[in-house]
Amino acid sequence: MEGSHMDEEAIDAKDKSWRDYVTLAKMGIVNSNLVTVFAGLFLASVYNTDFQLMQNMHILILTLVGAGLVMAGGCTLNNFIDRDIDPVMERTKERPTVTGKLKPSNVLIAGLSEAALGIMILGAVEPVAALISVIGLIVYVLVYTIWLKRVSTLNTVAGSFSGAVPPLIGWAAIEPSLHIYAWLLFSIMFIWQPPHFLALAMKRCEEYRAAGVPMLPVVAGFAMTKRQIVLYVATLLPISLLLYEFGVIYIVCASVLGVGWLALGLVGFKMKDDVKWARLMFVYSLNYMTILFVVMVVVHL
């Protein structure tokens, strides 16, 4: 009976360890980015008449798995690198890398292994897709996490670049020459990221301050951050409409989503509760990105 009890404890420990690794991979971020990978791949299949997606489902599956692994690897490496600042922040202090549930060396190996496997899978599909994923990974891990996150407010721009790469990966898997639409998807994602993350930074301003992370609200204050957020949202609206060839339904949806976000942004100049406004802007940004990319796919069905 004692042996059986020990076996159960070992199984339970392995199960918890597995869940800890999934936590480090930040599956919420991975899943939302996979939506844009799929959109890029699907739209590439629509505009490349020589490619039949239904007859090449293995390319879709391998691209999503490969891209997902690269992103999970990047997020895991981010957790490994941020072990020094995560204990200070309320939203990160329970991460397995902070609580000691996982050894740092194991986390490093897991992150590198996930990323390497993902790159190899993408390379088997299309080398250009793999190359784009490598560039995104390097920017996220080296430029953003190790360097700019700790020294400059420009960390948001670096993070935006890596966050805008997923639709390019999806498109390149089918059309490595990258149609102008692929670059417009990249542009939409690139401009979307700063208002999304700056709103989060306003919500968590004091945590970033305590951790010594120079986010814009910490360095320049809420007034400057609000102006920056609204400027980015205003810029995003016309860029999203450059995809006017997607049809009337897309134009209407993109316009309504963009104007709604801009209106909410302008309301922020009159609201007294900046943190409440930032929370509303953050939630809106998530809905904006998801709905816009879903609409892109739906209008091409």
Side-chain angles (χ1 to χ4, degrees), residues 128-232:
V128 173
L131 176 60
I132 293 171
S133 75
V134 170
I135 294 171
L137 182 68
I138 289 172
V139 171
Y140 182 68
V141 175
L142 298 183
V143 180
Y144 168 70
T145 306
I146 292 180
W147 178 32
L148 288 179
K149 184 175 182 178
R150 293 152 191 272
V151 299
S152 172
T153 57
L154 291 176
N155 60 42
T156 306
V157 177
S160 298
F161 179 89
S162 56
V165 160
L168 287 184
I169 296 173
W171 199 292
I174 291 177
E175 189 185 22
S177 60
L178 295 175
H179 191 282
I180 183 62
Y181 290 162
W183 290 108
L184 285 174
L185 295 182
F186 171 86
S187 299
I188 289 170
M189 288 298 295
F190 181 74
I191 301 298
W192 171 84
Q193 307 259 354
H196 170 74
F197 284 112
L198 289 176
L200 174 64
M202 285 181 67
K203 284 172 57 184
R204 303 288 185 178
C205 182
E206 294 310 312
E207 292 181 40
Y208 282 116
R209 194 190 309 278
V213 178
M215 298 300 287
L216 189 63
V218 175
V219 175
F222 281 180
M224 171 65 82
T225 305
K226 288 162 77 172
R227 289 196 295 272
Q228 289 282 313
I229 289 174
V230 172
L231 181 61
Y232 275 113

Side-chain angles (χ1 to χ4, degrees), residues 57-293:
M57 290 301 289
H58 63 289
I59 290 180
L60 171 62
I61 294 169
L62 289 174
T63 301
L64 290 176
V65 171
L69 282 168
V70 174
M71 290 184 282
C75 289
T76 300
L77 292 172
N78 173 271
N79 278 282
F80 169 77
I81 295 162
D82 282 351
R83 302 189 316 282
D84 59 330
I85 60 176
D86 280 347
V88 183
M89 300 185 66
E90 192 68 28
R91 72 184 182 92
T92 58
K93 67 179 185 180
E94 295 300 323
R95 286 177 176 172
T97 42
V98 177
T99 59
K101 292 180 181 178
L102 297 174
K103 293 180 181 178
S105 57
N106 291 347
V107 174
L108 177 62
I109 292 169
L112 292 173
S113 300
E114 289 161 2
L117 180 57
I119 291 165
M120 286 190 287
I121 292 172
L122 289 174
V125 174
E126 169 53 57
V128 173
L131 176 60
I132 293 171
S133 75
V134 170
I135 294 171
L137 182 68
I138 289 172
V139 171
Y140 182 68
V141 175
L142 298 183
V143 180
Y144 168 70
T145 306
I146 292 180
W147 178 32
L148 288 179
K149 184 175 182 178
R150 293 152 191 272
V151 299
S152 172
T153 57
L154 291 176
N155 60 42
T156 306
V157 177
S160 298
F161 179 89
S162 56
V165 160
L168 287 184
I169 296 173
W171 199 292
I174 291 177
E175 189 185 22
S177 60
L178 295 175
H179 191 282
I180 183 62
Y181 290 162
W183 290 108
L184 285 174
L185 295 182
F186 171 86
S187 299
I188 289 170
M189 288 298 295
F190 181 74
I191 301 298
W192 171 84
Q193 307 259 354
H196 170 74
F197 284 112
L198 289 176
L200 174 64
M202 285 181 67
K203 284 172 57 184
R204 303 288 185 178
C205 182
E206 294 310 312
E207 292 181 40
Y208 282 116
R209 194 190 309 278
V213 178
M215 298 300 287
L216 189 63
V218 175
V219 175
F222 281 180
M224 171 65 82
T225 305
K226 288 162 77 172
R227 289 196 295 272
Q228 289 282 313
I229 289 174
V230 172
L231 181 61
Y232 275 113
V233 173
T235 305
L236 181 59
L237 178 56
I239 290 176
S240 68
L241 296 179
L242 291 176
L243 291 169
Y244 58 88
E245 290 183 7
F246 283 8
V248 175
I249 294 175
Y250 169 78
I251 292 173
V252 170
C253 290
S255 299
V256 171
L257 286 168
V259 170
W261 197 5
L262 183 58
L264 180 60
L266 293 172
V267 166
F269 292 121
K270 292 188 176 181
M271 281 184 67
K272 293 181 179 179
D273 190 338
D274 288 332
V275 175
K276 180 181 179 181
W277 175 81
R279 190 180 301 115
L280 293 172
M281 290 292 282
F282 179 77
V283 172
Y284 195 105
S285 69
L286 291 172
N287 289 311
Y288 175 94
M289 190 270 289
T290 303
I291 295 170
L292 189 70
F293 275 81

Side-chain angles (χ1 to χ4, degrees), residues 7-21 102:
D7 288 343
E8 287 179 7
E9 286 185 346
I11 292 172
D12 184 52
K14 286 182 179 179
D15 183 47
K16 287 181 179 178
S17 177
W18 171 253
R19 286 199 296 257
D20 288 334
Y21 282 110
L102 297 174

